[in-house]
Amino acid sequence: MTITVNISDTSLAELLAKVEAGEEIILARGDVPVARIAPVAIGDNERRKKAIEDILAFRARMPKITQEEIAEWKAIGRR
């Protein structure tokens, strides 16, 4: 369920309590919606952590690159 509230009529603590309960909040200035506060999907944090772990594991498998190699590649690119 979505609730629309006027920005000046509520406190952040009240809004967060409603969001924690599963509500989606639309903040309005007068009659104009300006922002949405919604619960974070449960799987989002886990997917982010998995993606970071996958990237770190990939980098660990890659051969180490020296500063000299990077300088050489830059020089090749300038030719």
Side-chain angles (χ1 to χ4, degrees), residues 2 9 12 19 23 28 32-33 38 40 42-45 51-52 54-56 59-60 62 66 73 79:
T2 301
D9 293 342
L12 181 59
V19 170
E23 301 285 346
V32 179
V40 174
I42 293 173
D44 283 356
N45 286 337
I52 291 169
D54 291 347
I55 291 168
L56 292 174
R59 290 180 65 189
M62 297 302 296
T66 66
W73 295 338
R79 292 182 193 163

Side-chain angles (χ1 to χ4, degrees), residues 15-26:
L15 296 176
L16 290 178
K18 291 181 184 204
V19 170
E20 287 174 336
E23 301 285 346
E24 181 178 281
I25 308 293
I26 303 295

